[in-house]
């Protein structure tokens, strides 16, 4: 699904060049549930941004679903690929403050030219899946952190992506809520969607099937923790 | 494109920056207001100039007798040149490209006219038949003077509509007699002439007037209109007329004051080209005023884009293309500009209407207004201005890198 070969990325900091990723080789298969771990500055968020076509890379090759992602991809093409294949969940939720829950969830479909009525209907279905249908008319400011993140997950799912990228999705949540969120990701993964979570928390990474550890821009080793893998739960979690 | 989402976001942006948006909108409204008022004033000048010429034939020449200022063939200067019927005939025979012609004898004499017990003072103008064509007078009933009236010295007259209304009220004037200070004239027609002061007259045959009012064969003015091909050679024709008259009346062809020849076509063209120049100047002033407004809108859109960098990044991350971002920013700019511009347009038209209602008119300025094509041009200009104002900010917004925008969180 996602394949990186000898991928390099650096940033210019003043006069000096700072190498963030130093020849990453990585292969994530369809349907995997992967976490990328590393301390601050290890390059994990940069890696996620490149995988999510939010950022470009300097050297190497990146294949998404077998298609080479060009180093100098245009913004329009990148937007189209993101819209078609990828979904994003961020630590700070990144919901639009002036849109209510259902409008936030429906937003990706707006850019796919789906009619307002149709996309709101679909958004309600996804809100129902994350247990927040009753909160559909509420603004983000009226919701808890866990509820906001569920809305963000519903928004990432509405385009029926092949891969969900989550950058520290539990970073702003308490442990119980974090566990609930990870349960939802497990549910999503059980439906065949590849999930890539960036985290610095061991507890969170242990809930994934495969842990990729990054240090100073290099993959250290790969674990397959298979620890505390949460069994698929047909009952959807209830809101906080 | 005009979905609720777009409007929702536009209104939200405006409500977030009410004062700033209002102040910017005022500058756009002011730009359009100034443009409309200036264009209306320009139109007022145009209307004033038109009124000066009335609706008479534009490609025409007026020839009047004057006084010599140059000694010639042993004759001292200061000699009065009196035009006569023979001059009129000679000009008609010798000068090419004449379309219609007339001559006037004592064209400004106001006489007391009487019908039954009604009295009124109107100008009695003795002319030739084609005068009604030169004046562009429209016959309402009866006929105008014809050549038989001239040849037979008939005491007939064609009267303007106000004369008819004053003397005859609802009565049919045709066939009735008007007394002009002791001379009875039979009314043969009623005309309507919208030219300035051209309607409050009666026309009588020039030959009759010369005989009745002791005019002998004198003529005050010869009026000629030129065929279109002659209009281009009007200057040459003026010189030919001058030479012809100089030869006949024995004065120097270089003496500009011996006879006065007014070339209305040239005069009209000169004034119209001056007004066209004023109009261009008005557009330039208006557009530059408007540009100040556009820069304001562009500035506020730049600030809005900067404030919404993160939001734009989120939108891009979830699939917004650069073109969709560009469209959204441009729509906002067009919306602000369109609303403000329309307010300016309405206020400008309102002021012009007020001026019209109050009736601030003078010799060279009357009925300032903005016609429909100008209003449409202004509307198109407003929309284009909005798009231009939004263009640079929208390009900046489209270039926002989602990763940088999200990192700013």
């Amino acid at each position: 699904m996602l394949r990186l070969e000898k991928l390099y990325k650096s940033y210019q900091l003043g006069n000096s060049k700072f190498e963030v990723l130093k020849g990453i080789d990585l292969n994530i298969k369809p349907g995997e549930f992967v976490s990328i771990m590393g301390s601050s500055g290890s390059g994990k968020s940069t890696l996620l941004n490149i995988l999510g076509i939010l950022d470009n890379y300097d050297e190497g090759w990146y294949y998404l679903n077998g298609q080479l992602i060009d180093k100098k991809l245009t913004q329009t093409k990148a937007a189209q690929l993101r819209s078609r294949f990828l979904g994003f969940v961020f630590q700070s939720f990144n919901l639009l403050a002036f849109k209510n829950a259902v409008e936030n969830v429906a937003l990706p479909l707006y850019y796919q030219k789906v009619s307002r009525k149709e996309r709101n209907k679909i958004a309600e279905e996804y809100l129902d899946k994350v247990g927040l249908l009753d909160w559909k008319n509420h603004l983000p400011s009226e919701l808890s952190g866990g509820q906001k993140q569920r809305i963000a997950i519903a928004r990432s799912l509405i385009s029926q992506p092949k891969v969900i990228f989550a950058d520290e999705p539990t970073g702003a949540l308490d442990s119980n809520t974090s566990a609930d969120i990870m349960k939802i990701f497990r549910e999503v993964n059980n439906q065949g969607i590849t999930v890539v979570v960036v985290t610095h928390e061991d507890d969170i990474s242990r809930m994934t099937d495969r842990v990729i550890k990054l240090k100073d821009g290099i993959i250290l080793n790969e674990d397959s923790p298979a620890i505390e893998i949460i069994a698929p739960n047909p009952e959807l979690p209830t809101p906080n | 494109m005009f979905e609720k989402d777009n409007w929702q976001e536009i209104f939200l942006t405006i409500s977030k920056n009410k004062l700033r948006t209002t102040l910017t909108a005022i500058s756009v409204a002011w730009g359009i207001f100034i443009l409309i008022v200036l264009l209306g004033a320009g139109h007022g000048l145009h209307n004033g100039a038109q009124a000066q010429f009335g609706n008479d034939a534009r490609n025409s020449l007026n020839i009047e007798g004057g006084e010599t200022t140059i000694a010639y063939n042993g004759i001292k200067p200061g000699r009065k040149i009196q035009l006569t019927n023979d001059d009129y005939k000679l000009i008609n025979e010798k000068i090419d490209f004449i379309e219609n012609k007339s001559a006037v004898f004592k064209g400004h004499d106001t006489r007391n006219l009487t019908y039954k017990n009604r009295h009124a003072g109107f100008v009695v103008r003795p002319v030739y038949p084609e005068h009604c064509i030169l004046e562009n007078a429209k016959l309402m009933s009866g006929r105008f003077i014809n050549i038989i009236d001239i040849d037979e010295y008939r005491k007939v007259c064609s009267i303007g509509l106000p004369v008819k209304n004053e003397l005859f009220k609802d009565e049919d004037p045709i066939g009735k007699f008007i007394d002009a200070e002791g001379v009875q004239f039979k009314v043969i027609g009623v005309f309507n002439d919208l030219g300035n002061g051209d309607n409050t007259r009666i026309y009588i045959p020039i030959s009759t007037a010369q005989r009745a009012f002791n005019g002998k064969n004198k003529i005050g003015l010869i009026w000629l209109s030129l065929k279109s091909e002659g209009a281009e050679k009007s200057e040459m024709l003026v010189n030919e007329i001058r030479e012809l008259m100089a030869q006949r009346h024995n004065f120097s062809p270089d003496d500009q004051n011996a006879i006065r020849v007014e070339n209305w076509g040239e005069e009209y063209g000169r004034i119209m080209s001056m007004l066209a120049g004023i109009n261009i100047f008005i557009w330039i002033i208006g557009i530059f005023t408007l540009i100040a407004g556009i820069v304001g809108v562009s500035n506020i859109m730049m600030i809005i884009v900067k404030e919404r960098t993160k939001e734009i990044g989120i939108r891009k991350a979830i699939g917004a293309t650069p073109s969709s971002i560009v469209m959204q920013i441009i729509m906002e700019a067009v919306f602000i500009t369109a609303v403000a511009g329309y307010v300016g347009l309405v206020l400008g038209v309102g002021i012009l209407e007020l001026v019209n209602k109050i009736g601030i008119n003078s010799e060279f300025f009357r009925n300032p207004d903005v016609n429909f094509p100008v209003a449409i041009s202004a509307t198109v200009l407003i929309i284009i201005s909005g798009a231009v104002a939004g263009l640079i900010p929208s390009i900046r917004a489209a270039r926002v890198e989602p990763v940088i925008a999200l990192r700013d969180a």
Side-chain angles (χ1 to χ4, degrees):
Chain A
M1 188 74 227
L2 306 167
R3 187 152 62 89
L4 303 181
E5 289 177 12
K6 295 186 172 45
L7 190 122
Y8 288 85
K9 174 72 181 176
S10 61
Y11 291 111
Q12 198 72 33
L13 290 174
N15 290 331
S16 55
K17 199 172 172 185
F18 179 66
E19 276 213 320
V20 186
L21 300 177
K22 302 165 184 169
I24 300 284
D25 288 306
L26 177 66
N27 193 6
I28 297 173
K29 296 192 181 80
E32 277 198 276
F33 190 5
V34 178
S35 58
I36 300 172
M37 277 201 78
S39 57
S40 181
S42 62
K44 59 186 189 301
S45 287
T46 302
L47 180 60
L48 188 85
N49 288 335
I50 290 170
L51 288 170
I53 327 177
L54 293 170
D55 203 356
N56 50 18
Y57 56 97
D58 301 334
E59 296 293 332
W61 293 269
Y62 170 28
Y63 297 91
L64 169 65
N65 203 29
Q67 182 185 345
L68 178 67
I69 303 301
D70 196 89
K71 280 197 279 283
K72 287 168 183 163
L73 202 64
T74 63
Q75 283 215 27
T76 303
K77 184 75 184 154
Q80 286 165 351
L81 285 168
R82 283 196 294 267
S83 179
R84 207 166 124 212
F85 291 112
L86 313 176
F88 294 91
V89 177
F90 303 96
Q91 180 180 357
S92 52
F93 322 121
N94 284 342
L95 301 175
L96 299 192
F98 55 88
K99 286 186 178 285
N100 64 26
V102 74
E103 287 167 341
N104 262 294
V105 173
L107 197 56
L109 296 184
Y110 168 71
Y111 292 111
Q112 292 173 20
K113 315 279 182 214
V114 177
S115 74
R116 182 179 175 80
K117 197 177 165 190
E118 180 67 14
R119 66 176 186 261
N120 282 354
K121 188 171 152 258
I122 298 168
E124 284 184 14
E125 286 169 22
Y126 279 87
L127 270 180
D128 196 19
K129 282 184 185 176
V130 295
L132 285 179
L133 187 57
D134 293 344
W135 297 78
K136 66 178 184 177
N137 293 321
H138 286 255
L139 291 171
S141 58
E142 297 161 352
L143 302 171
S144 71
Q147 286 173 317
K148 285 180 198 171
Q149 200 57 299
R150 283 168 200 226
I151 288 168
I153 293 170
R155 183 179 67 183
S156 73
L157 291 171
I158 198 164
S159 305
Q160 297 181 308
K162 299 233 180 318
V163 187
I164 295 280
F165 293 107
D167 190 2
E168 303 276 9
T170 58
L173 305 174
D174 62 59
S175 55
N176 286 337
T177 313
S178 297
D180 283 344
I181 293 298
M182 289 308 287
K183 273 183 195 173
I184 296 173
F185 281 129
R186 172 60 69 187
E187 277 295 306
V188 168
N189 179 242
N190 285 341
Q191 288 161 24
I193 297 171
T194 308
V195 178
V196 180
V197 177
V198 161
T199 183
H200 62 275
E201 296 172 74
D202 285 333
D203 292 349
I204 297 300
S205 71
R206 275 200 291 272
M207 294 181 198
T208 65
D209 297 339
R210 179 179 163 197
V211 179
I212 298 159
K213 285 186 177 166
L214 265 181
K215 190 178 180 187
D216 299 331
I218 297 166
I219 294 179
L220 284 182
N221 64 330
E222 287 201 29
D223 296 341
S224 296
I227 303 164
E228 293 179 31
I229 288 176
I230 297 150
N233 186 351
E235 292 297 316
L236 291 168
T238 51
N240 289 328
Chain B
M1 185 175 168
F2 294 104
E3 280 200 54
K4 187 190 162 194
D5 301 61
N6 295 329
W7 295 116
Q8 187 189 29
E9 280 158 36
I10 288 168
F11 290 128
L12 185 97
T13 311
I14 291 167
S15 66
K16 268 183 179 175
N17 306 292
K18 275 186 201 129
L19 183 64
R20 203 161 55 191
T21 309
T22 307
L23 290 173
T24 312
I26 287 171
S27 66
V28 173
W30 179 248
I32 290 289
F33 174 79
I34 290 288
L35 179 66
I36 292 295
V37 169
L38 286 175
L39 285 172
H43 208 236
L45 284 174
H46 190 268
N47 290 340
Q50 292 271 24
Q52 286 301 303
F53 285 93
N55 61 344
D56 304 345
R58 300 263 150 76
N59 293 324
S60 65
L61 305 175
N62 277 6
I63 306 147
E64 286 180 272
E67 195 174 307
T68 59
T69 51
I70 300 172
Y72 188 71
N73 278 350
I75 307 170
K76 286 182 183 174
R79 178 167 52 103
K80 282 202 164 38
I81 303 297
Q82 175 64 57
L83 297 177
T84 65
N85 290 343
D86 295 335
D87 294 319
Y88 176 71
K89 279 181 196 156
L90 189 69
I91 287 172
N92 278 308
E93 281 166 18
K94 301 284 184 189
I95 302 297
D96 294 331
F97 307 118
I98 293 173
E99 190 176 43
N100 296 299
K101 68 241 176 240
S102 179
V104 179
F105 165 65
K106 291 193 175 177
H108 299 287
D109 277 4
T110 299
R111 294 180 188 276
N112 289 321
L113 305 180
T114 307
Y115 173 71
K116 292 183 179 170
N117 58 346
R118 295 191 195 110
H119 309 278
F122 285 104
V123 170
V124 176
R125 182 164 285 192
V127 295
Y128 278 98
E130 286 171 20
H131 202 91
C132 95
I133 302 170
L134 290 164
E135 287 283 6
N136 203 13
K138 300 280 177 283
L139 262 183
M140 307 299 285
S141 62
R143 65 173 177 84
F144 202 71
I145 293 153
N146 62 25
I147 198 67
I148 304 166
D149 298 328
I150 302 282
D151 291 345
E152 295 182 357
Y153 305 96
R154 286 179 180 169
K155 290 176 185 163
V156 292
C157 66
S158 185
I159 63 175
L161 198 57
V163 181
K164 181 254 167 190
N165 292 339
E166 189 74 27
L167 291 177
F168 295 92
K169 308 285 181 195
D170 296 329
E171 207 177 321
D172 181 9
I174 308 294
K176 311 279 172 25
F177 284 85
I178 292 175
D179 182 291
E181 297 174 1
V183 183
Q184 297 284 320
F185 288 91
K186 186 181 179 183
V187 178
I188 54 168
V190 178
F191 64 84
N192 191 23
D193 186 341
L194 299 175
N196 198 14
D198 292 347
N199 226 4
T200 51
R201 294 174 182 169
I202 76 167
Y203 291 113
I204 62 171
I206 189 167
S207 56
T208 313
Q210 284 168 334
R211 185 174 277 187
F213 304 121
N214 196 24
K216 296 181 184 168
N217 65 345
K218 289 177 189 169
I219 278 177
L221 171 93
I222 296 170
W223 189 9
L224 312 168
S225 72
L226 303 173
K227 291 173 184 167
S228 54
E229 59 268 37
E232 296 160 12
K233 299 170 183 161
S234 62
E235 265 312 287
M236 187 192 81
L237 296 174
V238 167
N239 290 336
E240 282 180 17
I241 290 167
R242 204 175 280 287
E243 278 172 25
L244 193 66
M245 290 296 102
Q247 210 174 357
R248 211 179 105 68
H249 290 275
N250 199 20
F251 63 80
S252 165
D254 299 328
D255 194 342
Q256 296 293 313
N257 296 318
I259 60 159
R260 289 190 298 276
V261 183
E262 278 180 295
N263 187 341
W264 286 113
E266 197 176 83
E267 191 77 357
Y268 183 77
R270 200 169 56 80
I271 289 179
M272 285 304 130
S273 73
M274 186 186 78
L275 287 173
I278 290 175
N279 213 33
I280 290 169
F281 186 63
I282 284 170
W283 272 103
I284 290 171
I285 293 175
I287 285 172
F288 273 92
T289 314
L290 192 58
I291 285 172
I294 293 170
V295 170
V297 174
S298 202
N299 196 25
I300 195 171
M301 293 311 297
M302 285 291 233
I303 295 166
I304 287 167
V305 165
K306 188 153 178 60
E307 284 175 354
R308 288 167 63 186
T309 302
K310 184 173 162 56
E311 181 202 316
I312 292 165
I314 296 168
R315 286 174 184 275
K316 284 189 150 186
I318 61 175
T321 56
S323 60
S324 65
I325 300 286
V326 166
M327 273 311 295
Q328 185 167 345
I329 303 294
I330 285 182
M331 272 181 66
E332 285 184 26
V334 168
F335 179 77
I336 295 170
T337 316
V339 170
Y342 194 72
V343 169
L345 183 74
V346 168
L347 285 176
V349 171
I351 285 283
L352 293 174
E353 286 294 318
L354 193 67
V355 168
N356 264 331
K357 212 161 198 174
I358 295 168
I360 303 173
N361 292 326
S362 72
E363 205 175 349
F364 283 99
F365 186 83
R366 60 176 59 209
N367 306 330
D369 60 4
V370 173
N371 55 22
F372 189 66
V374 170
I376 291 291
S377 307
T379 309
V380 171
L381 191 67
I382 291 166
I383 292 167
I384 292 172
S385 305
V388 169
L391 193 64
I392 295 172
S394 70
I395 290 169
R396 179 166 283 201
R399 283 184 186 156
V400 167
E401 298 264 0
V403 67
I404 294 168
L406 295 172
R407 199 183 292 153
D408 287 341

